[in-house]
Amino acid sequence: VIFLSVIALSVSAMPEGLPLALTMALTIASNRMLKKNVIVKKLNSVESLGSCTVIASDKTGTLTVNEQTAKKILLPNDESYLIEGVGYNDVGKVINQDKNPNIYRLGKNGVLNNEAKLENENGKWVYFGDSIDIAFLALGKKMKIANLNVSIIDQIPYESENQFSAVFYEENEKVYCAVKGSLEKISSFCSTMGQDYTKIDLEKLKKQNESLAQDGYRVIALASLEIEKKSSYGIEDIKNLNFDGMVGFIDPVRIEVKDSLKEAKEAGIKVVMITGDHPLTAFSIAKELELATSYDEVATGNDIEEALKKGEIYFDDFVACKRVFSRVTPIQKLEIVNSYKRQKEFVAVTGDGVNDAPALKTANIGIAMGSGTDVAKETASMIIRDDNFKSIVSGIKEGRNAYSNIRKVSYMLLSCGLAEVLFFLLAIIFNLPLPLVAIQLLWLNVVTDGLQDFALSFEKAEKGIMKEKPRSTEESLFNKELLIEVSISGLVIGFLVFGLWYYLINTLYFDVAIARGYVMALMVFIQNIHVLNCR
């Protein structure tokens, strides 16, 4: 009997249900995340997300709605044309478009130098591709650019490192080159500007660009010219072009993002923006979202390169004081992530492109966008189906709740196990019969502990969970606080049960079998009440 009881006590005292309960807690949290548009690929990343201290977020599609709309055309002679309509459709027009034929040429080149699709299928607009390319197609439809009698000869796709895309096309037996991208890059291909082909005035164009960027526009520059006819074309053929003008795009900020950023701040999480946009455009959006208050918090790709040359210590200090990183290349994004990790931050990084894969893989938590590339999704630990920053914050909340529930389950199982060992040891020390037999111990272990620890896995997040500071990933689950709680609860329960056992046997002289029934009932009652402590 003693042998069986010792084995039963060992089984009961050992929290063998803990691994299953922990898996349950993480699985339940991942299912809750799914309902909030967060797909978890690796179960351990559920709890890890709750420890996040820095979120390095894209701007387009995450903080904004990713429905770029062309709103303004600015020509080199300072003529500007406003564009009506919002979103990916043909509703609206370019006001006073007929005044200048250059407007049509600019729009046509935007449509031809394009890798996206935008079609009206059965009354519904269907699109795919880069948001800027789709917006140019929408602009083309507003300008009634259709059925162009041209043939595409060659194309150079957009790459973030190159900052431009190009197309070579034939029209009326003449070959033309059209490029679009950042002003810095496009202007380097040009020698003239405007409809009268005057010598390019780079300072004037920079002022125009800054003026648009300060107003929150994402600026795309366009240039084109007839070139020599030949069998094949490459980047070496893009030279001495004519600068046609700039188009300003607005990507509205997501309405719900401000509240999510505020919640992240209260949770002790630093949010930084990493984007390929012009620094003034990025700062305008960051200021609207209250991510940055001063332009000093903005860093450009050139600033990052200069800081990298000065060594890791300087670069880490540089990164720590910035909130917006603009005109950033994929390699620079990777360097920023590595810098945060050196600073002992737990970094979550968002990305959607092939070029984001290195940063996503290096980050503690890689978060791919649902609209992103397959490479980004394969590399990331989780995927945001709706591309929304709010979903990331919701995921962090569920991650924190998962850790909280794991802690509750651990507290429950360890304290009850300690109590059972204690009242058995006290019974042996005081030369009393064993308080419970093997079958009673196993019943407690399977029915009471088994059901209660699973129940704790379903607990919802407490109200103040997003006002707590992020937990250090180096901190053990069994920290000093948990060990003290387990010790106090285990000792109290153990002494209470032994006190009843001693009273029933030595004072009331109960039959051992009946006394064990009372002890069993008390233990079940105490454990049910103790679940409330664990909650």
Side-chain angles (χ1 to χ4, degrees):
V1 174
I2 292 175
F3 176 71
L4 291 175
S5 296
V6 169
I7 292 175
L9 179 62
S10 301
V11 171
S12 185
M14 288 290 291
E16 74 282 350
L18 189 57
L20 184 57
L22 302 191
T23 305
M24 278 287 291
L26 294 174
T27 303
I28 291 161
S30 68
N31 286 332
R32 286 176 177 168
M33 285 183 177
L34 181 61
K35 292 175 183 176
K36 295 176 181 178
N37 296 306
V38 181
I39 300 172
V40 177
K41 290 176 59 188
K42 299 174 183 176
L43 203 57
N44 63 344
S45 62
V46 172
E47 181 271 325
S48 299
L49 186 60
S51 304
C52 175
T53 59
V54 172
I55 302 174
S57 174
D58 278 341
K59 177 184 76 67
T60 306
T62 309
L63 302 175
T64 59
V65 298
N66 197 23
E67 283 199 2
Q68 297 281 356
T69 304
K71 298 298 291 181
K72 190 173 185 178
I73 294 173
L74 185 59
L75 301 180
N77 62 0
D78 289 326
E79 286 183 19
S80 64
Y81 298 83
L82 298 179
I83 306 164
E84 296 176 337
V86 176
Y88 300 146
N89 52 61
D90 62 354
V91 179
K93 64 179 182 179
V94 180
I95 299 172
N96 298 325
Q97 174 186 335
D98 298 333
K99 278 190 174 182
N100 195 323
N102 274 9
I103 297 293
Y104 184 87
R105 183 174 69 181
L106 185 146
K108 182 181 77 173
N109 288 335
V111 171
L112 292 172
N113 184 9
N114 206 294
E115 298 174 75
K117 175 189 174 183
L118 177 65
E119 297 292 340
N120 191 333
E121 296 180 3
N122 301 319
K124 184 180 179 180
W125 288 97
V126 178
Y127 53 85
F128 66 81
D130 179 75
S131 57
I132 288 292
D133 279 354
I134 300 169
F136 266 114
L137 293 179
L139 175 61
K141 292 186 183 297
K142 291 174 185 178
M143 298 174 71
K144 311 301 180 190
I145 298 171
N147 303 318
L148 295 171
N149 186 25
V150 301
S151 59
I152 305 295
I153 301 171
D154 211 339
Q155 237 175 332
I156 299 176
Y158 178 82
E159 295 289 346
S160 54
E161 296 96 334
N162 297 334
Q163 296 186 351
F164 80 97
S165 63
V167 65
F168 301 91
Y169 64 92
E170 187 173 354
E171 184 179 30
N172 299 327
E173 298 185 355
K174 294 179 180 179
V175 176
Y176 296 87
C177 172
V179 294
K180 73 177 193 298
S182 67
L183 172 66
E184 297 90 335
K185 194 67 179 181
I186 300 304
S187 60
S188 68
F189 296 137
C190 300
S191 57
T192 59
M193 67 179 192
Q195 60 186 4
D196 49 1
Y197 297 91
T198 58
K199 186 179 178 182
I200 190 167
D201 185 347
L202 192 54
E203 287 303 314
K204 181 180 181 180
L205 295 178
K206 282 182 179 178
K207 287 179 182 177
Q208 288 183 340
N209 187 41
E210 289 176 6
S211 175
L212 288 171
Q214 283 173 345
D215 292 335
Y217 290 106
R218 181 177 180 182
V219 185
I220 301 295
L222 297 99
S224 62
L225 200 68
E226 180 185 350
I227 61 172
E228 181 186 348
K229 204 170 188 179
K230 52 193 286 194
S231 57
S232 62
Y233 297 90
I235 192 170
E236 66 278 359
D237 297 300
I238 308 174
K239 56 187 178 182
N240 298 324
L241 302 183
N242 184 64
F243 190 88
D244 295 329
M246 289 176 267
V247 181
F249 295 83
I250 289 290
D251 185 10
V253 169
R254 290 185 183 271
I255 298 170
E256 67 277 12
V257 164
K258 272 191 179 181
D259 291 336
S260 297
L261 286 169
K262 186 178 179 182
E263 191 175 6
K265 186 177 180 181
E266 288 177 349
I269 301 167
K270 180 180 180 180
V271 181
V272 299
M273 180 198 295
I274 300 180
T275 177
D277 285 356
H278 190 281
L280 290 172
T281 306
F283 177 62
S284 175
I285 299 294
K287 195 174 181 181
E288 184 180 349
L289 292 171
E290 298 177 5
L291 263 181
T293 55
S294 166
Y295 192 73
D296 293 336
E297 295 174 290
V298 180
T300 65
N302 291 336
D303 297 334
I304 293 167
E305 283 300 316
E306 289 299 317
L308 280 168
K309 292 175 183 176
K310 297 179 181 179
E312 283 187 357
I313 296 174
Y314 180 88
F315 184 68
D316 291 348
D317 292 338
F318 170 82
V319 168
C321 64
K322 302 297 180 183
R323 299 298 296 271
V324 179
F325 300 91
S326 65
R327 289 281 194 258
V328 174
T329 65
I331 297 301
Q332 289 172 343
K333 187 173 183 177
L334 178 62
E335 291 291 350
I336 292 167
V337 173
N338 282 327
S339 174
Y340 280 125
K341 290 180 74 175
R342 285 195 297 270
Q343 296 173 52
K344 305 299 181 186
E345 302 283 7
F346 198 82
V347 194
V349 174
T350 69
D352 56 6
V354 174
N355 293 329
D356 292 320
L360 290 173
K361 189 173 180 63
T362 303
N364 299 105
I365 299 287
I367 304 173
M369 299 296 107
S371 62
T373 61
D374 290 339
V375 173
K377 292 175 186 177
E378 284 295 322
T379 308
S381 306
M382 53 184 63
I383 301 166
I384 305 297
R385 289 195 299 185
D386 59 354
D387 297 6
N388 196 335
F389 184 83
K390 182 182 178 182
S391 298
I392 300 173
V393 178
S394 299
I396 290 172
K397 186 175 182 180
E398 288 301 335
R400 289 189 173 191
N401 185 44
Y403 176 79
S404 177
N405 288 348
I406 288 169
R407 195 177 181 282
K408 291 169 187 174
V409 171
S410 303
Y411 178 26
M412 173 75 193
L413 293 176
L414 292 173
S415 56
C416 290
L418 175 62
E420 290 165 9
V421 172
L422 178 63
F423 66 66
F424 259 73
L425 287 175
L426 289 171
I428 294 169
I429 291 169
F430 283 85
N431 198 27
L432 296 176
L434 295 179
L436 296 172
V437 294
I439 191 69
Q440 289 174 315
L441 281 168
L442 293 175
W443 192 92
L444 275 175
N445 187 47
V446 174
V447 178
T448 314
D449 290 352
L451 293 177
Q452 289 167 343
D453 59 13
F454 283 136
L456 288 170
S457 300
F458 285 88
E459 282 295 303
K460 293 182 179 178
E462 285 109 9
K463 288 183 179 178
I465 200 165
M466 287 300 282
K467 295 187 184 296
E468 299 171 6
K469 297 299 179 186
R471 180 185 65 87
S472 171
T473 52
E474 297 177 0
E475 179 186 317
S476 170
L477 172 66
F478 304 105
N479 58 13
K480 184 179 179 181
E481 185 183 3
L482 181 62
L483 293 175
I484 290 171
E485 289 173 345
V486 167
S487 301
I488 292 172
S489 300
L491 290 172
V492 170
I493 295 170
F495 280 116
L496 276 174
V497 173
F498 175 74
L500 175 67
W501 180 242
Y502 188 90
Y503 180 70
L504 291 174
I505 298 298
N506 276 3
T507 305
L508 300 182
Y509 304 107
F510 267 44
D511 179 75
V512 172
I514 295 173
R516 281 173 177 156
Y518 278 99
V519 168
M520 176 82 170
L522 178 64
M523 192 62 187
V524 171
F525 175 74
I526 286 176
Q527 283 187 273
N528 285 327
I529 295 301
H530 186 45
V531 173
L532 301 177
N533 292 333
C534 299
R535 290 186 72 204

